[in-house]
Amino acid sequence: MTIALLSILLYLTQKTEVYLLVGLIVALVLIVVVSIESITRPPKKTEAITQGNLDYKVGVQTRDGIGQPSGYFDEATEKLKASYFEDLEKKVSEKTKALTQRIEELDSEQQKNKEAEEKALIEEAKEKATLTGIGEGVVVTDLQGKILVFNHAAEQMTNWTASEVVGRFWFETVPAMDEKGHLILRIDRDMYKALTTGKKVFAESIYLQKGSKKITVAVTATPIILKDRIIGAVEVFRDIGHEKEVDRMKTEFISLASHQLRTPLSAVKWFCEMLLNGDAGELNPEQKEYAKNVSDSNERMISLVNSLLNISRIESGRIIIDPKPTNINKLLSEVITEIKVKSDTKKQQIIVSVHSDLPLVNIDPQLIREVYINLLTNASKYTPPGGEISVFISKKDDEIISQVSDNGYGIPKKDYDKIFQKFYRGENIIKIETEGNGLGLYLAKAIVESSGGKIWFSSSGGSALGGESIEKKGTSFYFSLPLSGTQAKKGEVTLSS
Ligand code: ADP
């Protein structure tokens, strides 16, 4: 447009009419063409804007009418730019917020994972430390008996390494045997019982190490129960070889000491008898009383030494068990005759009831006699004068049950679990009956168990088996013997009498 105006002025200065007219027309045409072009075609500058460059200025021309749209355009661009940036700012701020939140979430998740990982590691370390530090062997199996965990002590005790045994069957990997050297079947293994019954099992066993050496162990097998379902078991086993050896030595010592004591005690007995018989001259009443006291005390000592000797013989397994077909009724009558000497002085009544057709039973009469003597002596000793003692022998299923009851002092409830322990004497009777050593029931239990039976006590009040002795109302002791009889055992010694 500027060029057109210049050309008009140029031609005006040349004063030629024709040229003036033609120049005027050309100038007009040029003006029209250029104006139309500038209005209809978007200026090139807007392309920059459409491509996103909102800072681009089209240019504002205020002197001519054609420059006006460019000014509007720039204004609109400014507005567009403002709104665009506003929108962008909003979007950026929202995105930043969302990103910050996500980063925080990720951080916290990461923290949590880290904590959980650390916790798991600590737990694992604790478990490992506990298992490694434990002196007892620990083996964990699944329901089939496949080894899952095998600790360091278990490795040492069996000579197997964890890497060798994990995944193998426990029963086959570490076989067990009884005292006679017979292999124990899988169904009789403690772990198997825990897995099948869901109950804790305590036992002693002999395990065969890798290399076939033997090790004596005390075992506790506990089932692992999850939501009422057995999913495996854990067995803790301890080498008790040393304890057993110490026990054996103690028993041997007691046996030896008791044996050695018997000779001097027998000598005291003879000399007391000679004195009391007047072999060394007639004693005056006071001397007689003293000699009698010496003799009584000596008798108590002999009884104690005999009990200790018998216990050591049974415990050491040296006792001979020599079963013979025995008429239990006859055996009982002989014992009662002996007991009557004491019970009559206390004016106690003895009632006996024996199953009518009791067969002869293959038992060691000398041993079982000792059990009857002990239970009947106790019944008389721990029942006040004028009391009642009853003996019942019955046949139940494949067992013979003997029951000795009294209506005496009874056993205090707090002492129930001590009754069969060595040297136990009830507080309620110590002041009433001073004589006793607390070894009779222990010996009776040892004899009954080595004869294949069981012994227990209950209320004289007459409740079922497994009831209780009621203090001041009396006691009932029971023992069972298998009708099939007792197994013979070769030993070295018999009970001393
Ligand atoms: P001892 O009779 O020599 O004390 P035992 O081993 O035979 O030893 O008995 C242990 C204890 O059991 C007795 O001291 C007594 O406290 C209690 N006891 C045994 N039998 C009876 C009984 N029939 N009635 C009450 N207590 C008894």
Side-chain angles (χ1 to χ4, degrees), residues 248-304:
R248 194 191 59 75
M249 282 162 70
K250 272 201 285 191
T251 307
E252 213 166 76
F253 169 75
I254 291 174
S255 166
L256 199 79
S258 316
H259 199 76
Q260 294 299 316
L261 277 170
R262 271 159 63 102
T263 319
L265 288 173
S266 299
V268 174
K269 185 179 165 112
W270 292 330
F271 286 114
C272 279
E273 272 172 19
M274 282 163 70
L275 279 175
L276 286 166
N277 286 341
D279 291 359
E282 207 49 42
L283 301 180
N284 65 35
E286 204 177 6
Q287 288 168 332
K288 257 194 182 163
E289 197 193 321
Y290 291 165
K292 180 82 177 64
N293 283 346
V294 173
S295 171
D296 287 350
S297 298
N298 192 54
E299 280 303 320
R300 282 202 289 277
M301 193 92 87
I302 289 171
S303 155
L304 173 66

Side-chain angles (χ1 to χ4, degrees), residues 74-122:
D74 280 349
E75 199 181 314
T77 311
E78 273 306 315
K79 281 189 183 159
L80 184 65
K81 186 181 160 190
S83 107
Y84 174 79
F85 278 118
E86 208 174 282
D87 196 34
L88 189 69
E89 215 172 280
K90 207 172 151 199
K91 276 186 187 156
V92 167
S93 130
E94 276 170 10
K95 274 274 174 230
T96 314
K97 214 170 149 191
L99 264 172
T100 318
Q101 199 177 332
R102 185 72 195 124
I103 288 170
E104 274 171 11
E105 277 173 15
L106 279 172
D107 271 357
S108 115
E109 252 170 54
Q110 222 173 350
Q111 184 65 23
K112 271 187 201 157
N113 284 347
K114 210 173 148 194
E115 275 172 18
E117 210 173 292
E118 265 173 25
K119 217 171 159 189
L121 276 174
I122 292 171

Side-chain angles (χ1 to χ4, degrees), residues 4 83 117 192 259 329 403 424 483 493:
S83 107
E117 210 173 292
Y192 188 85
H259 199 76
N329 198 357
Q403 175 184 350
Y424 163 77
L483 257 177
V493 282

Side-chain angles (χ1 to χ4, degrees), residues 339-454:
I339 297 296
K340 263 185 149 311
V341 180
K342 283 178 190 159
S343 63
D344 280 354
T345 58
K346 286 179 88 174
K347 300 201 166 48
Q348 291 164 333
Q349 205 192 346
I350 300 183
I351 300 158
V352 180
S353 165
V354 178
H355 190 279
S356 52
D357 50 43
L358 213 58
L360 296 181
V361 190
N362 218 22
I363 51 168
D364 185 323
Q366 197 202 356
L367 293 176
I368 299 304
R369 187 175 181 279
E370 200 58 35
V371 179
Y372 281 123
I373 286 194
N374 180 265
L375 296 184
L376 278 155
T377 310
N378 281 352
S380 169
K381 243 166 60 173
Y382 304 124
T383 299
E388 197 177 278
I389 297 160
S390 34
V391 187
F392 301 106
I393 300 184
S394 57
K395 199 168 76 143
K396 193 171 173 262
D397 302 330
D398 52 358
E399 287 182 328
I400 291 177
I401 313 275
S402 301
Q403 175 184 350
V404 178
S405 299
D406 63 61
N407 56 359
Y409 307 126
I411 296 164
K413 202 168 183 172
K414 67 175 178 55
D415 290 352
Y416 284 174
D417 54 345
K418 298 187 198 135
I419 280 296
F420 294 104
Q421 283 176 12
K422 257 185 222 174
F423 302 112
Y424 163 77
R425 298 213 72 212
E427 269 174 37
N428 61 329
I429 55 90
I430 283 181
K431 289 169 225 131
I432 309 170
E433 185 58 64
T434 49
E435 260 185 55
N437 54 36
L439 290 171
L441 285 177
Y442 180 83
L443 183 66
K445 186 170 187 271
I447 292 174
V448 170
E449 286 176 356
S450 52
S451 304
K454 285 193 195 85

Side-chain angles (χ1 to χ4, degrees), residues 3-296:
I3 301 165
L5 286 171
L6 283 173
S7 60
I8 292 168
L9 285 171
L10 183 69
Y11 285 105
L12 275 176
T13 53
Q14 286 178 4
K15 293 181 185 164
T16 310
E17 286 95 16
V18 181
Y19 276 36
L20 180 73
L21 190 67
V22 174
L24 200 67
I25 291 165
V26 170
L28 271 171
V29 169
L30 271 170
I31 290 166
V32 170
V33 169
V34 169
S35 297
I36 288 169
E37 192 196 37
S38 70
I39 291 163
T40 54
R41 191 176 60 85
K44 268 197 174 165
K45 296 168 180 179
T46 57
E47 281 169 19
I49 297 165
T50 54
Q51 279 164 14
N53 186 356
L54 294 177
D55 284 330
Y56 204 94
K57 291 282 180 291
V58 173
V60 181
Q61 295 173 8
T62 52
R63 296 266 168 126
D64 60 34
I66 299 163
Q68 201 61 31
S70 315
Y72 289 146
F73 209 91
D74 280 349
E75 199 181 314
T77 311
E78 273 306 315
K79 281 189 183 159
L80 184 65
K81 186 181 160 190
S83 107
Y84 174 79
F85 278 118
E86 208 174 282
D87 196 34
L88 189 69
E89 215 172 280
K90 207 172 151 199
K91 276 186 187 156
V92 167
S93 130
E94 276 170 10
K95 274 274 174 230
T96 314
K97 214 170 149 191
L99 264 172
T100 318
Q101 199 177 332
R102 185 72 195 124
I103 288 170
E104 274 171 11
E105 277 173 15
L106 279 172
D107 271 357
S108 115
E109 252 170 54
Q110 222 173 350
Q111 184 65 23
K112 271 187 201 157
N113 284 347
K114 210 173 148 194
E115 275 172 18
E117 210 173 292
E118 265 173 25
K119 217 171 159 189
L121 276 174
I122 292 171
E123 283 305 314
E124 198 184 314
K126 264 199 229 165
E127 239 169 65
K128 266 194 186 154
T130 319
L131 282 179
T132 316
I134 270 180
E136 278 101 353
V138 177
V139 55
V140 181
T141 71
D142 65 8
L143 189 57
Q144 279 71 44
K146 242 186 218 169
I147 301 171
L148 304 172
V149 174
F150 202 70
N151 79 339
H152 184 59
E155 289 183 324
Q156 286 187 321
M157 277 191 255
T158 59
N159 276 349
W160 286 100
T161 64
S163 53
E164 284 174 321
V165 298
V166 168
R168 293 180 54 161
F169 286 101
W170 166 244
F171 309 109
E172 282 75 41
T173 310
V174 180
M177 54 201 299
D178 61 20
E179 281 178 354
K180 288 175 191 154
H182 299 135
L183 275 182
I184 296 175
L185 294 176
R186 182 190 172 95
I187 52 162
D188 293 323
R189 292 285 295 267
D190 312 309
M191 186 77 125
Y192 188 85
K193 285 182 194 159
L195 282 169
T196 49
T197 62
K199 287 186 186 142
K200 213 175 192 160
V201 182
F202 301 93
E204 269 184 31
S205 204
I206 297 167
Y207 282 169
L208 280 185
Q209 297 175 328
K210 183 184 178 186
S212 299
K213 265 193 168 181
K214 291 176 198 163
I215 171 175
T216 311
V217 286
V219 174
T220 308
T222 314
I224 306 169
I225 300 170
L226 196 77
K227 289 183 185 158
D228 295 335
R229 215 163 52 86
I230 305 170
I231 56 158
V234 50
E235 180 173 308
V236 178
F237 55 101
R238 185 167 58 88
D239 183 350
I240 53 165
H242 181 66
E243 283 168 44
K244 283 254 162 196
E245 182 56 19
V246 171
D247 257 10
R248 194 191 59 75
M249 282 162 70
K250 272 201 285 191
T251 307
E252 213 166 76
F253 169 75
I254 291 174
S255 166
L256 199 79
S258 316
H259 199 76
Q260 294 299 316
L261 277 170
R262 271 159 63 102
T263 319
L265 288 173
S266 299
V268 174
K269 185 179 165 112
W270 292 330
F271 286 114
C272 279
E273 272 172 19
M274 282 163 70
L275 279 175
L276 286 166
N277 286 341
D279 291 359
E282 207 49 42
L283 301 180
N284 65 35
E286 204 177 6
Q287 288 168 332
K288 257 194 182 163
E289 197 193 321
Y290 291 165
K292 180 82 177 64
N293 283 346
V294 173
S295 171
D296 287 350

